[in-house]
Amino acid sequence: MLSSEISRRTLLAALVTAGAGFSVWPRKPRGRAAAPPGRVVLTYWEKWTGPEALTIQNIVDRYNAAQSRVWVQRVTVSEIREKAMLAIAGGDPPDIVGLYSYNIPNYAEAGAFIPLSEFAGRGALPEDHYAPGVWKLLTHEGRHWAGVNGCFSFAFYYNRGHFRDVGLNPDAPPRTVAELDQCAERLTRYDANGRLQQIGFLPSIPSWWPHIWPVMFGGRLFDATTNRATLTDAACVAAYEWVRSWPGRFRPETLGGIASSFEGAYHTAQDPFLSQRVSMIAQGPWMANFRRTYAPSLDFGVVPLPPIESLYDSAAPVGMLECDILAIPRGCRHPEEAYAFLRFTQSREMQELLAIGHCKPSPLREQSADFAVSHPNPFVAVHGAILNSPRAQIAPQTRVWPEFTISLENAFDAIWAGDDVRRTLGAVNRHIQQKLDRAAERREKRRGRSSLPAGAPA
Amino acid sequence: MRLTALRGLLLSLVAAAFCLPLVWMLATSLRPTETALQRSLAILPTIRSDADSGELSWFEARYWLTVAATLRDNFAAVWTSPLADFPIYFKNSLYVSLLSAIGMTLSSAIVAFGFSRLRWRGRDGLFRVLLATMMIPFAVLMAPTYLVFKQLGWIGTLVPLWAPCWFGGAFSIFLVRQFYMTIPRELDEAAMLDGCSNWGILWRMIIPLSRPVLTVVALLQFVHSWNDFVGPLIFLNHEETYTLALGLAMFQSSHGGTPWNLVMAADVIVILPVIVVFMLAQRALIEGVASGGLKE
Amino acid sequence: MTDAPRSANAARRARAVERAATLRGLLWIGPWLVGFAVFLLYPIVMSLIYSFTDYSILEPPVYVGLENYRDIMTKDATFGRALRNTLVYAAASIPLCTLLSIALALLLERDTRGARAVRAVVFLPTLVPVSAAAIGWMWLLNGDFGLFNAALSAIGLPRPDWLGNPRWAMTSLVIMSLWTVGGATVIYVAALRDVPTTLYEAAAIDGITRLGRAWHITLPLISPAILFNTVIALIGSLQVFAAPYVMTRGGPDFATYFYTMYVYANAFTYARMGYASALAWIQFLLILMITAAFFASVRRRVHYRV
């Protein structure tokens, strides 16, 4: 007993010592090259990890090699939406931050980004450099806030093999919502035990773009001119009524946990589409990348998402755009150098390099001749068409959007579980409208005071 | 006799129920990615031989060699994953937890002395204040504490996670004080007569006598800091400062999914050190927690 | 005549001694006092001040009076939802955990080798990091491939979509909370051990049944432990955050959206520190009130031995 007590104590002491040794081990974070002496070090926060990060690092490396004054240090930051804001407020922001286009209103209105026009003397980034939809994403209230860093839209991905299996023509995918409904019904199959074997379509995946469906029904979520949330408009209601009808289209008790277990599987070999358990889905251009990794033999086709019949126009698809952005936080150490780097990334060469690495369409107005040829995504033209369509929408540009989208995701769950659409949307709309009104009113109040010195504690 | 048997059965059922989640996590981390998603209850993976794709039995050495190889592959995949820098997280967690444990033990040993072995006016009132601080919800402190650390220039560093521990914590001080009260006062008086100062009494007599409770305080604080999720979530900014508890959550949710067998391997990496600490100091920990509840 | 000045002197000296003692005491607890002032008192006061402002942390705060509180109380549907979820969780989890941990303590009270081992097993989960436990449980509760549903379908029961279904998500979290009753259990075990056997023997001689003994002897004697555990559980479950944050982010359909998550979202995601502070203060007062009400209602039933 005594000896075991002593040996235990020795072991514990040994462990503590080993732990202490390890904890002060001067280990360099992985994949981090030290800045050469004498260079100005720019800190660049980026959310991407894995293969996407490699492409971004490639651009950073090229910049570091292209000149000898500045060294860009890319740092991976998760939860970047919150972290960047806190770091700016905390007075220690990075020099460049890679966020999403929908973050712009929040940061811009709080004065947390430096508008790029302030650097015009160092070479402007003109409007006609970007595709019109992308320019809309990068600007807010008439000012240009950020550079683009890859742009995407959702399209309709369908399994051509499954189409053939059930006698559908793989070259004639659904063009409208009604056609989608019919195809989905034919593609849904059960095994001998009555279990779901193959699901035609599920509007619940992926879960993080629940606001795409009103667009396909001709609706919009928000009216910027009147600052009104418009979730209760007929088109939105129709879209979510359609969503609500989906779980009931399968035999009772068969869908069960399947739908939600797909959520974590996205991006893996168990991805519902890549593993051929779901025949048709709404997804982004990165699917081409994942096919290469997880399902190289999968034969799929891509077309714009089918809208309701009255909206269908093969020349100008309906859709929704979003992009990654690069912005310069107010209060960063090296804004001038940050702008020089940002400008470098906006060149056609770099944006096409990025687009090819991420399998995305080019966000710029002009494309090089061999962009489409060398692009690994055979369907990049479909995403390009949505990106350049005059009918492509962008997410509401309001500071309340983060709460808007969370509320909408949860309303989607409620509707999916069978709650009344009009009531659910009405509740969200009321909640968001109150926040919108309050935000507008407080902004007005702040404007009135902004001439006074800011004497409040902070 | 029957009662004993029933009791034994109940005991094993309880043990199984509480173990199973951990066992299942470990079992998942032993599966190769292709069969990580199984619908059966089998804990150990089914392995087919390469030659005739027949099922290998547990009695074959090849079976266990394959399991061991999968185990090694999965853990290596996590440890070297490009999605998360687990060696750095591990290092940070150790650093924070050790510094917190040392700071908490030292400060509690000193403060508890002032709260128990010295008599002075206002002592008991302040002690009640100390106990009351345990009621303060973290949410109230969240935003302003962030701003305090911002003013101190600590945001984005590991300092906010361990520095407050050097100023004592209500529960630890309480625990140590309870123990100090059981040491007879006559010892102090005798030491005083020998010309010992309070400081000397603390270091030469009280602390050596209180080793059990101080060990418990250190261990509990180590585990507490190791497990802390909200602190790192709020105060840390970039990946190279992440601790395991936070890095793990980020790894799990990082852009899309990570295969579950790898997530569980990462989970095991995070849990394992706590289990080791527990194995080594099980009785002290349990008694420490129990005594915290008793002597209210 | 000479006595009076001497006693005045003595009194003065006594006061000086006392003052020195107080000063020395304060010096000894100095570390805690400093920490208390900087990391608790100052933040709490600031949080109260911020709660009366519009404060995005990016811009300086602007005083708005009671507006945040008014908005919360009268216009904020998510507040109501989060509060209700939190109360439901506490009301479900606390009694279940109490019953389970007392039952376990009765089973594990004896000092046999087996009971000791099982006690360790029951206690172990309380040490597992919450985020690691949460991720592990996400996997156990996975609708398609989780352990729970594998077990349920093995005995022919339906397979709920635990975390994916608004009706089951809260239940999942309550079940998960049962896994960490080990802390309370060991406290009950210690309390049960403190009950003198002579009391039971006397009662047995008086012909009181086992149940009667449990009700009249055990329960009163472990009531301080019940009080302690319940208060700890109350404070803890009214602020639950990490597990649902990792597992569900509050979804589906806000079914697991807890109060502290809404505070966090307002402070750090929506950049409304003022509003978040007001929410936090309401939570603080609520915790105080519920705990005080609980104390008041059970005080006379708790039996303290001196």
Side-chain angles (χ1 to χ4, degrees):
Chain A
M1 199 62 216
L2 187 70
S3 71
S4 90
E5 193 52 40
I6 286 172
S7 68
R8 189 175 292 197
R9 203 176 287 163
T10 331
L11 202 58
L12 197 62
L15 271 177
V16 168
T17 322
F22 186 70
S23 76
V24 293
W25 190 280
R27 191 188 177 285
K28 270 248 149 60
R30 194 180 291 143
R32 159 73 50 93
R39 289 218 196 179
V40 175
V41 177
L42 282 191
T43 314
Y44 164 28
W45 282 10
E46 184 49 69
K47 55 211 165 294
W48 287 106
T49 53
E52 283 89 354
L54 291 182
T55 312
I56 291 173
Q57 187 59 44
N58 186 2
I59 293 174
V60 169
D61 291 345
R62 284 175 186 230
Y63 185 70
N64 287 341
Q67 41 77 48
S68 57
R69 208 175 78 73
V70 172
W71 184 266
V72 177
Q73 194 76 274
R74 183 180 61 87
V75 178
T76 307
V77 175
S78 38
E79 307 279 293
I80 198 165
R81 279 164 286 188
E82 285 87 356
K83 291 294 171 198
M85 171 136 8
L86 290 175
I88 298 169
D92 184 26
D95 298 295
I96 294 262
V97 59
L99 285 160
Y100 300 98
S101 48
Y102 58 80
N103 298 125
I104 289 181
N106 222 350
Y107 285 78
E109 288 180 27
F113 287 163
I114 307 179
L116 299 186
S117 50
E118 285 188 19
F119 303 99
R122 305 193 123 252
L125 288 165
E127 174 172 356
D128 59 12
H129 182 56
Y130 299 100
V134 173
W135 181 252
K136 257 196 287 179
L137 288 168
L138 301 177
T139 49
H140 179 55
E141 298 180 336
R143 290 222 257 179
H144 182 201
W145 294 98
V148 69
N149 203 31
C151 181
F152 71 91
S153 54
F154 269 23
F156 184 73
Y157 285 66
Y158 65 99
N159 187 319
R160 292 171 60 91
H162 286 181
F163 267 55
R164 276 190 292 269
D165 292 347
V166 298
L168 286 166
N169 178 1
D171 296 318
R175 288 166 302 179
T176 64
V177 169
E179 288 177 20
L180 164 64
D181 288 350
Q182 285 163 13
C183 287
E185 201 181 339
R186 297 219 6 218
L187 286 162
T188 298
R189 296 199 282 181
Y190 299 85
D191 65 12
N193 301 324
R195 275 206 253 185
L196 258 178
Q197 187 186 19
Q198 179 180 309
I199 298 173
F201 177 76
L202 275 179
S204 60
I205 39 179
S207 61
W208 36 270
W209 254 41
H211 45 281
I212 182 75
W213 304 117
V215 177
M216 307 323 295
F217 281 72
R220 48 176 63 243
L221 308 171
F222 175 67
D223 182 352
T225 52
T226 56
N227 198 39
R228 314 284 320 156
T230 52
L231 273 176
T232 43
D233 286 5
C236 291
V237 172
Y240 288 111
E241 287 287 4
W242 176 77
V243 165
R244 184 174 179 265
S245 73
W246 273 94
R249 299 185 190 195
F250 303 95
R251 291 189 199 157
E253 303 290 319
T254 54
L255 198 54
I258 296 177
S260 72
S261 78
F262 286 150
E263 224 160 89
Y266 161 72
H267 253 225
T268 69
Q270 278 76 41
D271 177 277
F273 183 70
L274 296 176
S275 63
Q276 308 209 39
R277 284 182 293 164
V278 177
S279 310
M280 309 182 287
I281 52 164
Q283 262 297 5
W286 43 81
M287 286 311 271
N289 249 350
F290 300 137
R291 171 168 65 173
R292 272 192 300 197
T293 319
Y294 300 117
S297 60
L298 176 65
D299 178 20
F300 66 64
V302 183
V303 288
L305 277 168
I308 50 168
E309 200 167 351
S310 56
L311 288 178
Y312 179 74
D313 176 355
S314 61
V318 182
M320 202 158 192
L321 295 185
E322 189 173 306
C323 71
D324 287 53
I325 60 160
L326 291 175
I328 305 173
R330 175 86 61 196
C332 72
R333 288 197 197 92
H334 312 291
E336 297 287 326
E337 288 83 354
Y339 184 72
F341 169 67
L342 193 150
R343 221 171 145 255
F344 174 82
T345 65
Q346 300 301 293
S347 71
R348 192 166 76 183
E349 190 191 350
M350 291 307 129
Q351 277 308 308
E352 291 190 352
L353 189 74
L354 185 80
I356 284 172
H358 291 192
C359 270
K360 290 174 180 169
S362 166
L364 306 181
R365 193 160 286 197
E366 310 265 313
Q367 286 177 17
S368 64
D370 58 346
F371 175 68
V373 183
S374 58
H375 204 288
N377 186 346
F379 304 103
V380 70
V382 175
H383 287 284
I386 301 167
L387 195 154
N388 287 300
S389 164
R391 296 203 292 169
Q393 287 193 27
I394 64 171
Q397 286 191 312
T398 155
R399 239 177 142 162
V400 179
W401 179 245
E403 188 166 9
F404 203 145
T405 173
I406 289 174
S407 305
L408 199 55
E409 274 172 37
N410 283 286
F412 188 100
D413 298 333
I415 289 166
W416 189 256
D419 280 12
D420 183 74
V421 172
R422 216 171 273 278
R423 218 185 43 231
T424 310
L425 291 180
V428 174
N429 211 65
R430 265 196 310 282
H431 181 75
I432 294 302
Q433 190 59 53
Q434 192 264 324
K435 302 287 180 186
L436 285 166
D437 291 343
R438 185 62 82 212
E441 179 196 314
R442 286 187 170 178
R443 191 154 179 236
E444 219 34 63
K445 219 181 203 170
R446 246 173 218 289
R447 276 216 187 104
R449 299 174 146 244
S450 62
S451 52
L452 301 171
Chain B
M1 218 45 226
R2 263 180 45 223
L3 213 73
T4 326
L6 187 70
R7 205 181 183 86
L9 185 72
L10 263 176
L11 281 179
S12 2
L13 273 179
V14 166
F18 278 82
C19 263
L20 201 57
L22 288 172
V23 170
W24 192 253
M25 294 174 206
L26 184 68
T28 308
S29 73
L30 299 181
R31 292 183 201 153
T33 302
E34 306 83 66
T35 58
L37 299 179
Q38 60 166 41
R39 286 197 180 82
S40 82
L41 276 170
I43 284 178
L44 286 164
T46 311
I47 294 169
R48 299 188 177 282
S49 98
D50 297 331
D52 52 2
S53 76
E55 223 172 271
L56 291 180
S57 94
W58 293 352
F59 300 107
E60 285 176 78
R62 263 196 307 163
Y63 179 88
W64 294 105
L65 285 177
T66 320
V67 170
T70 319
L71 175 90
R72 189 198 57 215
D73 291 349
N74 285 350
F75 281 85
V78 168
W79 196 251
T80 59
S81 163
L83 296 175
D85 197 340
F86 276 94
I88 284 277
Y89 303 163
F90 200 90
K91 177 186 132 109
N92 291 335
S93 273
L94 264 179
Y95 179 82
V96 165
S97 306
L98 284 173
L99 269 181
S100 304
I102 296 168
M104 183 58 85
T105 315
L106 274 178
S107 56
S108 302
I110 295 167
V111 173
F113 190 90
F115 271 128
S116 59
R117 306 203 70 83
L118 302 175
R119 288 180 214 280
W120 45 283
R121 259 179 62 150
R123 183 186 82 173
D124 297 334
L126 276 173
F127 189 69
R128 270 194 290 275
V129 171
L130 176 125
L131 290 181
T133 60
M134 289 200 246
M135 304 260 298
I136 300 170
F138 184 69
V140 174
L141 304 170
M142 210 150 58
T145 317
Y146 179 86
L147 297 165
V148 169
F149 290 141
K150 166 191 151 183
Q151 246 142 30
L152 293 166
W154 290 354
I155 294 300
T157 73
L158 292 171
V159 186
L161 302 181
W162 59 262
C165 292
W166 287 73
F167 297 93
F171 184 70
S172 305
I173 295 172
F174 166 75
L175 218 58
V176 178
R177 173 184 175 268
Q178 296 309 102
F179 192 90
Y180 283 1
M181 306 260 264
T182 62
I183 303 173
R185 290 196 73 85
E186 291 77 33
L187 289 177
D188 293 27
E189 280 148 24
M192 280 287 196
L193 288 178
D194 289 347
C196 218
S197 67
N198 279 325
W199 193 246
I201 294 175
L202 174 70
W203 284 99
R204 266 182 257 143
M205 196 180 71
I206 303 284
I207 286 184
L209 282 174
S210 311
R211 256 214 316 254
V213 74
L214 295 177
T215 314
V216 168
V217 166
L219 290 172
L220 284 178
Q221 185 58 47
F222 182 90
V223 171
H224 190 262
S225 293
W226 188 271
N227 295 359
D228 187 16
F229 175 76
V230 186
L233 179 70
I234 294 174
F235 302 129
L236 300 181
N237 281 335
H238 35 85
E239 207 197 8
E240 55 210 62
T241 54
Y242 282 1
T243 57
L244 277 176
L246 181 64
L248 170 71
M250 298 307 162
F251 177 68
Q252 190 270 330
S253 67
S254 66
H255 289 279
T258 312
W260 276 106
N261 57 335
L262 297 187
V263 172
M264 286 304 119
D267 220 34
V268 171
I269 291 178
V270 180
I271 299 175
L272 209 59
V274 183
I275 295 190
V276 170
V277 167
F278 177 69
M279 298 276 204
L280 290 170
Q282 192 210 107
R283 186 178 287 191
L285 272 174
I286 292 184
E287 276 169 12
V289 169
S291 69
L294 266 194
K295 292 160 183 161
E296 181 81 329
Chain C
M1 275 312 266
T2 52
D3 265 11
R6 202 185 300 155
S7 71
N9 248 341
R12 206 174 308 133
R13 217 175 311 128
R15 263 204 306 279
V17 166
E18 195 187 291
R19 215 174 305 136
T22 305
L23 211 63
R24 195 183 51 187
L26 289 175
L27 207 62
W28 274 91
I29 66 159
W32 174 73
L33 275 180
V34 172
F36 172 69
V38 177
F39 302 123
L40 288 170
L41 196 59
Y42 175 76
I44 286 183
V45 172
M46 287 319 285
S47 147
L48 187 62
I49 294 173
Y50 291 145
S51 75
F52 300 111
T53 65
D54 165 30
Y55 186 22
S56 73
I57 65 169
L58 292 164
E59 302 139 292
V62 171
Y63 178 73
V64 295
L66 285 170
E67 193 177 80
N68 288 331
Y69 289 95
R70 261 204 313 272
D71 283 357
I72 292 169
M73 293 303 198
T74 58
K75 293 177 180 153
D76 193 329
T78 312
F79 158 78
R81 193 74 201 273
L83 180 62
R84 202 173 66 216
N85 283 340
T86 307
L87 294 176
V88 165
Y89 174 80
S93 158
I94 297 174
L96 286 175
C97 284
T98 307
L99 285 178
L100 179 64
S101 50
I102 293 181
L104 286 172
L106 288 168
L107 184 69
L108 301 173
E109 175 202 2
R110 292 194 189 171
D111 203 23
T112 63
R113 188 182 281 264
R116 267 206 304 275
V118 177
R119 215 146 62 210
V121 167
V122 169
F123 182 73
L124 179 60
T126 63
L127 299 178
V128 172
V130 188
S131 63
I135 288 170
W137 278 80
M138 279 170 81
W139 173 232
L140 299 175
L141 294 168
N142 185 294
D144 213 2
F145 304 102
L147 171 69
F148 273 69
N149 279 353
L152 287 178
S153 57
I155 50 174
L157 288 173
R159 305 150 47 91
D161 182 8
W162 294 95
L163 294 169
N165 184 322
R167 287 173 191 85
W168 283 100
M170 178 67 85
T171 315
S172 307
L173 288 171
V174 172
I175 292 176
M176 189 183 147
S177 77
L178 292 176
W179 191 49
T180 51
V181 294
T185 305
V186 299
I187 290 174
Y188 285 129
V189 168
L192 286 171
R193 291 256 181 82
D194 273 5
V195 179
T197 41
T198 47
L199 280 181
Y200 290 121
E201 285 153 14
I205 291 165
D206 288 351
I208 296 172
T209 60
R210 279 178 85 89
L211 204 65
R213 271 177 275 166
W215 187 254
H216 292 292
I217 301 171
T218 316
L219 199 63
L221 287 179
I222 66 165
S223 57
I226 298 180
L227 177 70
F228 175 83
N229 279 331
T230 310
V231 169
I232 295 286
L234 253 177
I235 297 173
S237 55
L238 291 176
Q239 329 182 34
V240 61
F241 174 78
Y245 180 83
V246 171
M247 293 169 82
T248 60
R249 292 286 159 118
D253 181 23
F254 285 134
T256 55
Y257 203 70
F258 290 96
Y259 199 96
T260 309
M261 296 169 85
Y262 195 45
V263 180
Y264 176 84
N266 271 289
F268 298 122
T269 310
Y270 310 153
R272 294 196 288 245
M273 285 278 186
Y275 200 76
S277 299
L279 279 168
W281 264 89
I282 292 175
Q283 181 187 28
F284 190 15
L285 295 179
L286 214 70
I287 291 179
L288 283 180
M289 270 158 37
I290 293 180
T291 316
F294 177 72
F295 262 115
S297 67
V298 299
R299 170 178 285 155
R300 260 167 295 148
R301 276 174 240 161
V302 173
H303 182 279
Y304 281 102
R305 275 177 306 152
V306 186

